[in-house]
Amino acid sequence: MELKISRLSCLLLLFLFLSSISSTKASRALPILDTFNGNNLLFNSRFNKLYDTSKYGKFQLFNGLALTPQMGWNSWNFFACDINETVIKETADALISTGLADLGYVYVNIDDCWSKAIRNLKGQLVPDSKTFPSGIKALADYVHAKGLKLGIYSDAGIFTCQVRPGSLYHEDDDAQLFASWGVDYLKYDNCFNLGIPPKKRYPPMRDAINSTERPILYSICEWGVDDPALWAGEVGNSWRTTDDINDTWASMTTIADLNDKWASYAGPGGWNDPDMLEVGNGGMTYHEYRAHFSIWALMKAPLLIGCDIRNMTDETMEILSNTEVIGVNQDPLGVQGRKVHSSGPDDCQQVWAGPLSGKRLAVALWNRCSSAANITAEWNSLGLEPSVKVSIRDLWQHKLVSRDAVSPFGAQVESHDSAMYIFTPQMSESHSVK
Ligand SMILES: *[C@@H]1O[C@H](CO)[C@@H](O)[C@H](O)[C@H]1NC(C)=O
Ligand SMILES: *[C@@H]1O[C@H](CO)[C@@H](O)[C@H](O)[C@H]1NC(C)=O
Ligand SMILES: *[C@@H]1O[C@H](CO)[C@@H](O)[C@H](O)[C@H]1NC(C)=O
Ligand SMILES: *[C@@H]1O[C@H](CO)[C@@H](O)[C@H](O)[C@H]1NC(C)=O
Ligand SMILES: *[C@@H]1O[C@H](CO)[C@@H](O)[C@H](O)[C@H]1NC(C)=O
């Protein structure tokens, strides 16, 4: 009898638990999108297909993190393995002194090479005593005192890519250790994985992190090999969709196109990750970096700075600190923008766009041709009704360029540059609810 009652109450609890999950799912994601639906006066019949959000909020990791794409810095793109606690501290200092932290760049993420080549006798990971003599806990305390968060790196394999110990089969111990140090973010790489499928290797670390009861943003880095957009939403807060980026125009453009494919799967709590920013590392021009930052922001990519923040040029700072472009990335609607139109030789004249809160659209005119071009966006290709009047704000010139534009809108864009705008459709007088 006693047994029966407790079984019954278990079932009841399970039922309550499951129904609370499904109601959270239904209530958290969809109503925001509904503001776009049924707005036939502004948006045309292609709108919902163009900006397919059928997978938005479908899977969720309920750790309450990354409701907008994560922002911060990561050591790899500039320093690679040449890191130490001084660089990490000075970078934290620079995030504060430059004002970048105030703009949202709060994660200070240590990539590979922070640990010793072997575990200690208790089987624990140990920080490299030459480069991190004070240990990771001291570093976490240091960045926390500045209001920042600390990220660390491990690997879902037996070694990291730089052949430090990996966390495969050590998930619980390592997650407990990271939590005890006060770590806030884990990038989890894919080297030396014994050929075991990612779908088997990434969930154990999710569960291990969850057991620590510390909110730790979980960044999955399986390089897009097993189409993580299809399954990683319930495993991590972001998932890399491609191979590593490098500091070239060819790499950046290739990755943007690959990441675009998975746009319908992004949403609050889970983002496609086309890899960290190269802005400021010297391999691309000012215009190319501006396009890189514009498109990453529009694609709702994590904005993780990859340059030496202690030594940025004014141009680099201007790009990374553009609050209007950051605003597109951090918009609470959380719908990934995408390529909606292309024309010209090799389709190099491109229009990328995506819905924002407040029935607005972010629009980028991206010139991937080798010379300047006039790029034109037709309302139809943006999902707008042809008669709608739109106010247009230029996010790089920081000014209103039109109060009442009608289709089409075009601009001359320099080679490899991207112009970026917010379009705010105006309700016509006869329809506006005064
Ligand atoms: C720490 O790393 C930076 C960047 O690689 C380097 O310039 C500096 O000399 C290193 N400092 C120490 C104390 O090793
Ligand atoms: C652990 O998972 C549960 C169920 O998904 C969730 O409600 C909770 O917030 C998670 N805790 C942490 C610390 O991530
Ligand atoms: C950079 O990426 C591009 C495109 O993916 C690739 O062709 C190239 O080999 C890479 N360059 C380096 C130096 O890794
Ligand atoms: C700062 O960056 C410039 C390139 O922009 C480089 O020439 C210089 O060596 C860097 N200084 C330091 C201290 O790293
Ligand atoms: C873009 O259009 C303007 C106005 O028609 C014209 O003056 C300009 O030469 C065009 N630019 C290019 C690169 O075709």
Side-chain angles (χ1 to χ4, degrees):
M1 188 61 187
E2 250 177 54
L3 190 67
K4 266 188 194 157
I5 288 174
S6 72
R7 269 202 194 150
L8 195 67
S9 52
C10 275
L11 277 174
L12 194 66
L13 280 174
L14 185 68
F15 172 77
L16 286 172
F17 174 70
L18 288 175
S19 52
S20 76
I21 287 186
S22 55
S23 66
T24 325
K25 261 185 196 174
S27 61
R28 78 171 314 282
L30 298 174
I32 339 180
L33 288 178
D34 286 344
T35 63
F36 278 92
N37 297 337
N39 249 300
N40 300 333
L41 304 174
L42 300 180
F43 304 109
N44 67 22
S45 56
R46 298 181 65 225
F47 186 89
N48 284 328
K49 192 157 173 260
L50 206 50
Y51 307 111
D52 175 16
T53 51
S54 53
K55 321 292 187 315
Y56 174 101
K58 185 167 178 184
F59 304 116
Q60 296 254 328
L61 182 63
F62 295 100
N63 65 0
L65 299 173
L67 298 182
T68 59
Q70 62 265 37
M71 293 175 66
W73 172 86
N74 172 291
S75 55
W76 188 259
N77 283 356
F78 184 82
F79 293 100
C81 226
D82 295 327
I83 52 168
N84 52 53
E85 60 186 38
T86 311
V87 163
I88 306 297
K89 283 180 170 175
E90 288 178 359
T91 299
D93 298 346
L95 281 169
I96 303 290
S97 63
T98 54
L100 287 171
D102 283 338
L103 304 182
Y105 295 99
V106 295
Y107 285 103
V108 180
N109 293 348
I110 311 170
D111 208 281
D112 205 348
C113 300
W114 62 269
S115 85
K116 275 193 179 158
I118 51 168
R119 290 173 180 269
N120 68 14
L121 292 175
K122 289 194 236 161
Q124 292 170 317
L125 294 170
V126 185
D128 187 313
S129 48
K130 285 201 200 70
T131 49
F132 291 86
S134 317
I136 304 298
K137 170 121 183 23
L139 213 43
D141 291 345
Y142 185 88
V143 309
H144 290 158
K146 293 178 176 285
L148 302 172
K149 294 178 181 299
L150 190 76
I152 207 155
Y153 164 100
S154 190
D155 188 287
I158 52 170
F159 298 111
T160 72
C161 298
Q162 299 298 314
V163 207
R164 307 303 200 272
S167 292
L168 187 66
Y169 308 132
H170 295 270
E171 291 86 355
D172 287 316
D173 287 349
D174 293 355
Q176 290 296 339
L177 188 64
F178 298 152
S180 75
W181 288 340
V183 162
D184 306 294
Y185 185 116
L186 174 66
K187 172 178 172 183
Y188 205 41
D189 215 339
N190 193 34
C191 285
F192 298 102
N193 57 46
L194 306 180
I196 304 168
K199 277 182 226 177
K200 288 216 163 69
R201 286 178 292 112
Y202 284 81
M205 185 52 95
R206 168 199 59 192
D207 298 337
I209 290 172
N210 188 274
S211 303
T212 70
E213 295 181 15
R214 183 176 176 85
I216 297 178
L217 194 152
Y218 186 28
S219 156
I220 293 179
C221 178
E222 58 85 279
W223 316 323
V225 292
D226 218 7
D227 295 344
L230 300 179
W231 53 270
E234 53 192 352
V235 181
N237 294 110
S238 62
W239 46 88
R240 282 273 302 280
T241 53
T242 70
D243 246 330
D244 284 4
I245 194 170
N246 64 49
D247 191 14
T248 63
W249 167 256
S251 167
M252 189 270 285
T253 51
T254 304
I255 281 179
D257 289 345
L258 290 170
N259 190 65
D260 188 36
K261 176 176 174 188
W262 306 107
S264 65
Y265 292 86
W271 309 102
N272 290 306
D273 178 3
D275 207 359
M276 304 169 298
L277 297 166
E278 291 284 8
V279 177
N281 283 336
M284 289 184 248
T285 66
Y286 171 68
H287 285 147
E288 290 170 345
Y289 281 141
R290 191 155 81 165
H292 175 21
F293 193 67
S294 301
I295 297 300
W296 259 237
L298 182 132
M299 292 198 298
K300 302 292 188 280
L303 296 181
L304 295 171
I305 299 172
C307 69
D308 184 358
I309 293 185
R310 306 167 307 166
N311 182 30
M312 288 183 295
T313 64
D314 291 347
E315 285 188 343
T316 297
M317 180 62 187
E318 183 216 322
I319 293 172
L320 296 174
S321 65
N322 185 325
T323 51
E324 298 197 67
V325 174
I326 292 171
V328 167
N329 181 256
Q330 296 292 302
D331 182 72
L333 187 65
V335 173
Q336 180 171 330
R338 51 209 87 181
K339 190 187 292 187
V340 297
H341 181 74
S342 50
S343 58
D346 293 325
D347 282 334
C348 66
Q349 301 174 15
Q350 304 191 346
V351 181
W352 292 59
L356 298 174
S357 59
K359 302 185 184 108
R360 301 168 303 152
L361 294 176
V363 178
L365 305 179
W366 191 8
N367 180 5
R368 288 162 60 161
C369 321
S370 49
S371 56
N374 284 315
I375 303 183
T376 300
E378 307 272 354
W379 274 207
N380 184 46
S381 65
L382 297 172
L384 287 166
E385 275 297 316
S387 60
V388 165
K389 289 185 177 165
V390 172
S391 85
I392 299 179
R393 184 169 172 84
D394 184 319
L395 307 188
W396 286 109
Q397 292 189 51
H398 303 293
K399 65 176 197 202
L400 193 67
V401 291
S402 175
R403 275 179 207 289
D404 52 4
V406 289
S407 184
F409 173 77
Q412 177 169 309
V413 185
E414 296 304 314
S415 170
H416 291 192
D417 195 6
S418 172
M420 193 163 176
Y421 308 91
I422 288 182
F423 280 35
T424 309
Q426 312 293 327
M427 283 296 224
S428 66
E429 268 98 70
S430 56
H431 293 121
S432 67
V433 207
K434 172 71 217 259

